[in-house]
Each structure stands twice: as C-alpha cells, then as structure tokens.
Amino acid sequence: MTSRQVVVVAYEGAELVDIASVTTAFDLANRLGAVPPYEVALATLDGGALRCETGLMLHAQTALRLVDRVDTLVVSGGRGHTAAAADAELVRQVRRLAGTARRVASVCTGATVLASAGLLDGLRATTHWWYADELATAYPSVKVDAAPIYVREGNVSTSGGVTASLDLTLAFIEEDHGSELARWVAMGMVTYLQRPGNQAQMSVFTTARRPDHATLRAVMDHVTAHPDDDLTTESLALRAGVSARQLSRLFNDHLGEPPAAVVRRFRLELAARLVASTDLPLSQVAKRCGFSSAEALRQAFAARYGVSPRSFRQTQSRAAAPSG
C-alpha cells in the first residue's frame, strides 16, 4: 500500500501549534483508517533539532536535502519566518521539493518562505493578518488577502494565523478521503468541520472592544442588543443626538469603518452563528439579524462568505456526532 508522504518544513523560531495542528490531524486520519495512510515527517534544513517560538525543542526526522519527493509539502510559520525566507539553501530546498509535490502549502507566516521561493508569484495568498502588510510590501508580486482563513490557488494553498492550519488540513483530508473521515477527524480534535476557507480570520465577536468614546459606545451597545432594529446611519445618529455626518466621522476615526459597514458585518457574523448553531428557518434568522428577507440574507451571506446560508449550515452540521 503506497502512503502519501507529507513533509512539514520547520526552522528556528517556528510556531509549535502551526506544526502540531497539521501533524496531529494527519495522524488522527491514519488512526481512523485513512487508505492510503499519510506518512508524516518533520524536516529541517540540516535534520537537526529546532527551538520553537515558545522555547520548546523539537527533533526533526530528516533533512530537507535527503527528501527526494513528497505528496504534500507544508511550510510552518512562526516568528523565525523572516530569517527562514532569507536562508538561500532553505528556500532552494523548498522550491525543489515543491516541484515534486502534488500539493504545496504554508501555515501562517510560512507564506513568506513560499513567496521567497517564487511559489506565490501572481497568486492570491493569505497569511496571519498581523503580518499581511509586511508580506505584501516585501513581495509585491503576491496578491495578499488578509481576510480568509485559507486560500487555495491550484496546487498551492496558504492558511491564515495559527489554528487556521487545521481548517486547511481538514480540507486536504476531505479531498483525499471524503467528508466522512474528515468529519471524524474534526470530532476527534473537537473542532468545527470545517470553516469555509474564505471565512474571516478576524471577527467582531473576538476583536471589537467597547469604544472609549461614550457616544460611540452607546451606539454600539444598541447595535449589538437590537440587530433587528432600524440601524441606518440616520437612525443611529438621531438616537445618539448627533448628526449623521458626525456619527460617520466617529465610526471612521475609532473603528476604521463607516456605520453601515460595521452594522452589516455584525449582522452577518450573528447570522452565521445562528445558521451554524440553531435550526431556525432562514426567514427567522434574517428577521432576527435585521435583513428584509431570507433572499436578502442569502445574497449578503454569499457575498461575504462565498457560500449560501443553507450550504454553510449543512457543512457545520457535519461536526455534530451521529445519533446513537
């Protein structure tokens, strides 16, 4: 039985989670019956140990120069990515192995190494949102998109920050062995199966702190408490006792977006949560989230996430354990 060889490339300052999310998912797929199985190896340039970003030590199983060909090549990320991308021999070995691989991928800031090897030229790619501007500036030939959790362009894939690597690995497992095995791997790792690749890395639920400005804070409290209310800029301004122009200036100055964009993003993320976690009819989800109809929700949802609410619900429901 021929195995699928997966080589994860690491270096000094690599992020441990970037490595473990990939290797653990493939290993669990093997234990759950993947045929052909994955043969996973951690490789460094010289085959020696590396100190991870956290200071923990990992021992590589092989040197890159000793690997002849691979099925899947994955370059990990970490704070050492800049030095790794400047290492001419490391980059040369990555480029060489990429030429033999069915799939090439990077995790988080590992995209910097792929870009240095010329493997992302002309392609759309993502990386950890924190380093997106840095990647775009250093490699202008790469079409950097900081929003999605992963991007697939032909046989080259790039994932966003840290745990987004698990979403990409689940996509690989589903591609190789079908959705059922990928579902069991996801359940075994207690995660969703699987977030759409173009779901945003950043969410208003995790990133939006309450604004310091009292007027803006009161407006945002109203938005989050009453998503089904009239939340037009004019209505919010009237409630806040300021002009629509002044409210727009406050939003742009403190939140970086106009009121309508913030409201729409909040409503869509709330809708995504309700679609994934409840059995509410889409018409009720639309009503609760301030959309005029299920069709209006469908169009906005597809534009934001690249899938319909119905398809998104079906994907998320796979993560639920089967009855009995």
Side-chain angles (χ1 to χ4, degrees):
M1 179 173 53
T2 302
S3 60
R4 288 190 168 101
Q5 187 174 17
V6 178
V7 170
V8 178
V9 180
Y11 43 81
E12 282 294 302
E15 168 56 56
L16 180 60
V17 177
D18 287 1
I19 298 167
S21 291
V22 175
T23 59
T24 301
F26 281 132
D27 177 69
L28 184 53
N30 286 345
R31 286 185 277 145
L32 291 171
V35 177
Y38 298 103
E39 183 181 342
V40 184
L42 181 67
T44 57
L45 182 57
D46 61 1
L50 68 132
R51 185 180 299 276
C52 294
E53 187 174 305
T54 57
L56 295 176
M57 299 296 295
L58 279 183
H59 291 275
Q61 293 154 294
T62 187
L64 286 172
R65 61 181 174 77
L66 298 180
V67 181
D68 292 328
R69 57 185 304 109
V70 297
D71 176 79
T72 302
L73 180 69
V74 182
V75 180
S76 59
R79 280 204 296 262
H81 69 279
T82 303
D87 187 323
E89 181 59 17
L90 175 65
V91 170
R92 189 183 75 80
Q93 292 292 343
V94 167
R95 187 187 301 113
R96 176 183 66 82
L97 287 174
T100 74
R102 177 170 64 100
R103 286 186 301 227
V104 178
S106 64
V107 176
C108 194
T109 52
T112 308
V113 178
L114 293 189
S116 181
L119 298 172
L120 299 182
D121 287 353
L123 300 182
R124 177 169 164 262
T126 194
T127 186
H128 193 297
W129 60 269
W130 188 277
Y131 295 95
D133 288 344
E134 178 183 301
L135 180 65
T137 300
Y139 302 96
S141 61
V142 181
K143 302 172 185 175
V144 179
D145 186 348
I149 56 174
Y150 64 82
V151 171
R152 302 190 68 177
E153 289 269 279
N155 76 325
V156 179
S157 302
T158 51
S159 79
V162 195
T163 57
S165 60
L166 178 55
D167 297 280
L168 180 58
T169 307
L170 286 170
F172 288 161
I173 293 170
E174 182 171 20
E175 179 179 79
D176 295 340
H177 301 286
S179 60
E180 183 69 5
L181 182 62
R183 177 173 71 87
W184 282 104
V185 172
M187 287 192 294
M189 298 187 73
V190 196
T191 187
Y192 291 107
L193 177 76
Q194 68 212 50
R195 292 183 293 175
N198 53 3
Q199 182 170 323
Q201 292 188 50
M202 303 297 290
S203 165
V204 292
F205 290 101
T206 57
T207 62
R209 60 180 178 85
R210 296 187 73 216
D212 294 329
H213 195 285
T215 299
L216 191 57
R217 185 165 61 245
V219 170
M220 286 304 301
D221 285 348
H222 179 74
V223 169
T224 56
H226 304 282
D228 58 340
D229 206 350
D230 178 3
L231 301 181
T232 60
T233 301
E234 292 73 17
S235 177
L236 292 175
L238 183 63
R239 171 175 291 276
V242 298
S243 69
R245 177 177 295 181
Q246 184 178 354
L247 184 66
S248 295
R249 187 180 303 115
L250 284 173
F251 267 78
N252 282 309
D253 288 348
H254 292 268
L255 299 179
E257 293 180 298
V262 173
V263 168
R264 188 175 186 81
R265 186 156 60 93
F266 176 79
R267 281 173 163 169
L268 282 169
E269 293 193 17
L270 177 60
R273 287 196 166 198
L274 290 176
V275 167
S277 62
T278 75
D279 293 325
L280 285 172
L282 295 182
S283 59
Q284 290 188 32
V285 173
K287 183 176 181 181
R288 289 192 183 192
C289 298
F291 292 92
S292 60
S293 65
E295 176 60 19
L297 170 62
R298 186 194 68 78
Q299 292 181 12
F301 200 97
R304 170 81 176 171
Y305 297 115
V307 294
S308 69
R310 195 175 305 279
S311 296
F312 183 75
R313 172 171 280 170
Q314 290 171 347
T315 299
Q316 298 305 302
S317 67
R318 294 176 188 166
S323 60

